[in-house]
Amino acid sequence: MDEFDRYRAQMNERLLGSGHLGIKRFFALDTQAYEQGALDSRTKELMGLVASLVLRCDDCVTYHLKQCVRLGVTRPEFLDAFNVALVVGGSITIPHLRRAIDRLDQLLAAEKGDGASE
């Protein structure tokens, strides 16, 4: 997970450092979409997770898993969200669900401090 975070931060910096106004605006819009509003950030992150699973974007899935864990989403809540993604996205999402549950286990183990994420 640390490598994912490092790579993501480095590449985001390169993209944002390019000076391209459209890229900067999109990144800002993406950040603002998950801020507290009529829906709380926790709900929005779960929605982002489901959308990412349906769209089959493993990087996005990992990002939203990390955000959801940070916001206190529980394992049963994750499993409900995974189920929604499976129903909406169909069986083609199963490989992404497999990777998601593995990453979730790593994140939850790290939260407990047992070092399983290393």
Side-chain angles (χ1 to χ4, degrees):
M1 290 299 161
D2 290 340
E3 179 58 31
F4 171 83
D5 290 338
R6 272 191 298 278
Y7 181 78
R8 184 178 181 281
Q10 286 174 343
M11 294 306 108
N12 283 351
E13 187 176 318
R14 284 177 60 186
L15 283 167
L16 291 169
S18 72
H20 192 280
L21 184 58
I23 291 172
K24 286 183 178 183
R25 285 180 175 165
F26 184 87
F27 273 64
L29 180 64
D30 180 68
T31 298
Q32 292 168 2
Y34 293 94
E35 291 175 355
Q36 199 81 7
L39 295 173
D40 61 32
S41 296
R42 196 171 180 275
T43 300
K44 289 180 177 185
E45 287 295 343
L46 280 166
M47 292 171 66
L49 175 61
V50 169
S52 297
L53 284 162
V54 170
L55 292 170
R56 302 185 308 272
C57 177
D58 286 332
D59 278 3
C60 297
V61 168
T62 300
Y63 174 79
H64 290 293
L65 284 169
K66 290 175 75 68
Q67 295 306 308
C68 286
V69 166
R70 181 181 61 80
L71 293 169
V73 174
T74 65
R75 186 179 185 81
E77 290 170 326
F78 277 111
L79 293 173
D80 269 355
F82 290 173
N83 183 60
V84 170
L86 180 58
V87 169
V88 172
S91 62
I92 198 161
T93 64
I94 291 172
H96 302 276
L97 289 170
R98 289 180 190 130
R99 287 187 286 277
I101 196 74
D102 180 45
R103 290 180 186 131
L104 176 60
D105 288 345
Q106 291 176 43
L107 289 165
L108 293 176
E111 279 270 302
K112 290 181 181 176
D114 68 9
S117 67
E118 301 302 320

